[in-house]
Amino acid sequence: THLRGTTILLPPHSHYSEVGGPSSGASTSSADLFGNSANTGRLHDLAIDDCSDAHMYLLQPFEHVTISACTGCTIVVGAVAGLLHVVDCEKTTITCAARRILVSNSFDVLHCTFTPSPPLLVGDNRNCQFAPHNTYYEGIREDLLHTGLAAAVLPETQSPYHGSKQENDLAWPPLQLASNKWKLPVEVAKLEIPQVQTTGSGSPAETTPPG
């Protein structure tokens, strides 16, 4: 990757199926960089490495995603069936729906996520925040189904709009999703402040060793 000060758009699969291919130069370059699994039906892994001051909107499903050594970036990933691994990143905002999230050795990273599993933080992480998922695009419902992050409550054939081109068909079938672990903004640093018991005089309480 090694992108600097650029914007990348990888449109949803529906964009490819409707128009037969990307329609702009930016989309063409993103397809060349990240590939396209619309025709194969198989999810691919995604790796974003050593980027700075870049904006990436990768609105497709992936198997696993690794974001490493990125600084000052905004990265939006559609949905991840497996692991989203964020490592050695600084001052970056990441929006993604993923089954599992691993953050290691990162500083000042905002994760706007939907995940059914508690995120795991390892190594030296500072000023990292987690907040609710905050994006929508045409095709996100299909991506959530494709990655197993959502299940259809009713089959598509029972839709009252099945076989038509009405706009309401985009909201069918109704989806059932697991409970999101991050419903409210949480600052990780505030969760790690130790609580020291004090005596009435305001000094820390002393304990007497047994025996």
Side-chain angles (χ1 to χ4, degrees):
T1 48
H2 308 287
L3 301 177
R4 301 288 184 270
T6 186
T7 298
I8 295 295
L9 171 63
L10 185 64
H13 285 161
S14 58
H15 179 80
Y16 285 88
S17 61
E18 290 174 3
V19 302
S23 58
S24 66
S27 297
T28 301
S29 62
S30 64
D32 294 337
L33 284 170
F34 301 104
N36 177 28
S37 60
N39 297 325
T40 64
R42 182 173 64 90
L43 297 179
H44 298 286
D45 293 343
L46 171 67
I48 303 173
D49 177 63
D50 192 21
C51 298
S52 63
D53 301 319
H55 297 79
M56 304 183 194
Y57 304 92
L58 312 176
L59 308 181
Q60 290 188 13
F62 298 93
E63 185 68 31
H64 302 289
V65 174
T66 300
I67 303 174
S68 60
C70 291
T71 303
C73 295
T74 298
I75 302 173
V76 179
V77 178
V80 181
L83 176 67
L84 168 65
H85 186 194
V86 181
V87 55
D88 297 332
C89 292
E90 296 183 8
K91 300 178 181 179
T92 293
T93 298
I94 299 171
T95 298
C96 182
R99 185 171 302 279
R100 300 188 307 275
I101 299 175
L102 172 62
V103 182
S104 56
N105 302 326
S106 295
F107 170 73
D108 197 15
V109 176
L110 173 62
H111 306 81
C112 301
T113 61
F114 168 82
T115 176
S117 305
L120 178 62
L121 288 86
V122 298
D124 186 13
N125 295 291
R126 302 183 184 183
N127 199 33
C128 290
Q129 294 180 306
F130 288 88
H133 192 265
N134 63 351
T135 192
Y136 178 84
Y137 59 90
E138 182 180 351
I140 190 173
R141 294 170 58 84
E142 290 76 10
D143 291 351
L144 292 174
L145 288 170
H146 197 181
T147 54
L149 294 174
V153 178
L154 294 174
E156 183 179 358
T157 54
Q158 295 186 17
S159 168
Y161 314 105
H162 182 63
S164 68
K165 296 296 183 180
Q166 300 184 39
E167 294 183 359
N168 290 337
D169 198 24
L170 298 175
W172 191 275
L175 301 185
Q176 181 177 4
L177 290 83
S179 177
N180 191 8
K181 293 299 179 181
W182 300 104
K183 295 181 179 179
L184 297 173
V186 175
E187 184 175 350
V188 175
K190 293 183 179 179
L191 301 179
E192 301 176 351
I193 300 177
Q195 300 295 324
V196 180
Q197 295 183 354
T198 58
T199 61
S201 60
S203 60
E206 297 182 357
T207 59
T208 303

